[in-house]
Amino acid sequence: MLRFAAEGADLPEFKERDEALMVAVGKGDLNAFEQIVQRHQTWVWRIAVRFLGNEDEASDIAQESFLRLLDAAGRYRPTAKFRTYFYQIISRLCLDCAKKKQPSTLGVIPDMIDPGPNAADQMVKEEQGARVRAALRSLAPNQRLAIVLRYYEDLNYKEIAAAMQTTTRAVERLLARGRERLRMILGEKNDFNDS
Amino acid sequence: MKNWTCNRHRRRLGAYLDDELSQRARGVLRRHLQECASCRSELAALQRLQPALTASEAPPVPPELAAGILAAARDHKIRRPEPVTSPLSWWRLAPARLQVAAVGMLIIGLALGLLMGTASAPSYLPSATVAQSDPLDVYQVEYLTELPSESLAGGYLALVSIPNLGGR
């Protein structure tokens, strides 16, 4: 049975690191797990909601990601960087989820644009945001994930490759195709083409 | 020719923007961009993609998300991957006495088999005897002699009847 009890690693400098928390979680310490949830829920949620375009599904995937992390904690070795490890979990879950559902069932994220100086500006931004989300949804799942990790999480190609368990060259190709399609969809109104 | 060169460079413009090219590839692409207005325009369009994509914020994390995850974790039964069952896993589980008895039985069985095998082994004809014997007797095809010599059986008979030169 899992329990809330502090059983972290002994070294103070190691104690607060994610890797140390994972080791503690592996020993059944749910306090350490709670710290991991508090630290990482934002970016996990952000990837899921950007990728899936639906808040309910994003919540489910975020929760499932943390539970998978809990399952894997006993086998986790601190030699693997925690973030890389977690990116792999969330990436796999997102891609599996996309495989299971039809593109038409993709929901729509409510617009979360900061209130502008006037309503007209806000409406324009909302419209742009909705078009970007629709364009993202039209991408193939692996292209979409590469775009989300690159543009919203600011990962480099090596990190994206590790998360998606592929090569940097494959990431470059996914991003190139994804960008091309995004430009094609967003191009007209956003005036992406100079010519 | 120019189109082909441009296409080749355009495929790598994103990596150029992301600073993911090797120094050499970056130099080559930069020189091409200095000469090619069309590719410069393509690069500018790609640069405008970033602010367009990141203009809208992601919805905030639902306040109940962490609590939901922790509640699920408390009730969660750890799922561990199924252990791979080896064909010899029963052996590891067997008590030591049983293992010793099994090994003993195996050794006795092998020794008995060896003993009985050598005692009743058939005595094969030496190769020289086989070579010098009548092929009709050796291959037991005497009945074929009654068939016409031009038949398939006759041909087979002629073949096996050729004397073994190596046996001389």
Side-chain angles (χ1 to χ4, degrees):
Chain A
M1 187 65 186
L2 296 164
R3 64 195 185 281
F4 281 90
E7 277 184 17
D10 295 334
L11 295 170
E13 70 272 20
F14 183 70
K15 216 165 188 173
E16 294 307 312
R17 283 170 49 196
D18 293 327
E19 287 79 3
L21 289 174
M22 268 296 276
V23 172
V25 173
K27 293 175 185 167
D29 180 357
L30 270 186
N31 279 333
F33 183 69
E34 187 174 359
Q35 283 190 60
I36 287 181
V37 172
Q38 296 296 349
R39 279 185 193 182
H40 300 286
Q41 61 167 330
T42 306
W43 68 261
V44 170
W45 159 260
R46 214 167 42 211
I47 290 176
V49 81
R50 291 277 195 204
F51 179 83
L52 296 164
N54 180 297
E55 288 197 47
D56 290 337
E57 283 178 346
S59 290
D60 290 346
I61 290 295
Q63 179 168 313
E64 183 60 25
S65 301
F66 280 103
L67 293 182
R68 291 268 175 108
L69 196 69
L70 192 59
D71 288 335
R75 303 188 299 279
Y76 176 78
R77 296 288 170 269
T79 47
K81 201 178 166 193
F82 172 79
R83 274 251 183 173
T84 307
Y85 195 68
F86 206 4
Y87 275 128
Q88 284 179 3
I89 293 176
I90 180 85
S91 296
R92 205 174 306 138
L93 280 171
C94 281
L95 291 173
D96 286 350
C97 183
K99 264 188 215 165
K100 283 178 196 161
K101 66 179 186 178
Q102 298 296 318
S104 59
T105 64
L106 280 159
V108 177
I109 314 172
D111 296 320
M112 292 303 302
I113 307 294
D114 288 335
N118 58 55
D121 278 356
Q122 192 171 335
M123 273 182 68
V124 171
K125 280 185 175 179
E126 281 177 8
E127 192 197 332
Q128 279 180 344
R131 288 200 313 115
V132 166
R133 288 191 294 275
L136 275 175
R137 287 200 300 273
S138 76
L139 297 182
N142 53 0
Q143 291 172 14
R144 196 186 333 149
L145 185 60
I147 292 280
V148 167
L149 294 177
R150 176 73 200 104
Y151 282 97
Y152 299 110
E153 295 307 309
D154 204 24
L155 299 194
N156 62 36
Y157 288 15
K158 201 174 166 188
E159 290 165 331
I160 298 171
M164 296 179 71
Q165 295 178 292
T166 185
T167 62
T168 51
R169 194 71 190 189
V171 169
E172 188 184 332
R173 281 195 293 269
L174 286 174
L175 285 171
R177 282 192 228 116
R179 283 166 171 142
E180 198 180 329
R181 183 155 175 82
L182 286 174
R183 277 187 53 205
M184 209 166 67
I185 297 166
L186 299 170
E188 292 165 18
K189 285 192 181 175
N190 284 10
D191 191 25
F192 280 120
N193 298 311
D194 282 358
S195 54
Chain B
M1 183 67 181
K2 185 169 168 60
N3 270 347
W4 182 81
T5 311
C6 286
N7 285 340
R8 191 163 54 88
H9 288 306
R10 281 180 189 184
R11 277 200 294 269
R12 307 215 75 188
L13 282 177
Y16 175 80
L17 274 181
D18 293 334
D19 202 13
E20 293 277 353
L21 292 181
S22 68
Q23 208 170 354
R24 187 179 163 278
R26 195 169 177 78
V28 170
L29 191 49
R30 194 183 290 139
R31 278 194 296 280
H32 175 77
L33 286 168
Q34 282 167 356
E35 296 164 1
C36 181
S38 170
C39 285
R40 280 201 304 274
S41 160
E42 197 76 12
L43 182 70
L46 271 183
Q47 279 172 321
R48 285 195 295 275
L49 193 58
Q50 167 111 22
L53 283 176
T54 52
S56 65
E57 306 234 334
V61 180
E64 69 282 1
L65 182 67
I69 293 167
L70 293 172
R74 277 190 210 96
D75 302 334
H76 185 62
K77 194 166 181 279
I78 301 289
R79 292 164 292 190
R80 300 196 189 284
E82 289 290 315
V84 180
T85 51
S86 153
L88 290 176
S89 55
W90 60 271
W91 176 257
R92 284 188 222 106
L93 297 173
R97 277 184 188 177
L98 192 66
Q99 289 179 347
V100 170
V103 170
M105 292 287 281
L106 184 70
I107 291 169
I108 291 168
L110 285 173
L112 273 174
L114 195 67
L115 203 65
M116 290 168 72
T118 47
S120 61
S123 54
Y124 295 104
L125 290 170
S127 59
T129 314
V130 173
Q132 287 161 13
S133 303
D134 186 352
L136 300 181
D137 291 340
V138 173
Y139 298 112
Q140 297 179 346
V141 289
E142 200 176 13
Y143 62 96
L144 293 178
T145 53
E146 292 166 13
L147 296 167
S149 61
E150 63 272 15
S151 68
L152 191 62
Y156 174 69
L157 199 60
L159 200 65
V160 298
S161 303
I162 294 170
N164 185 350
L165 295 174
R168 279 183 187 170

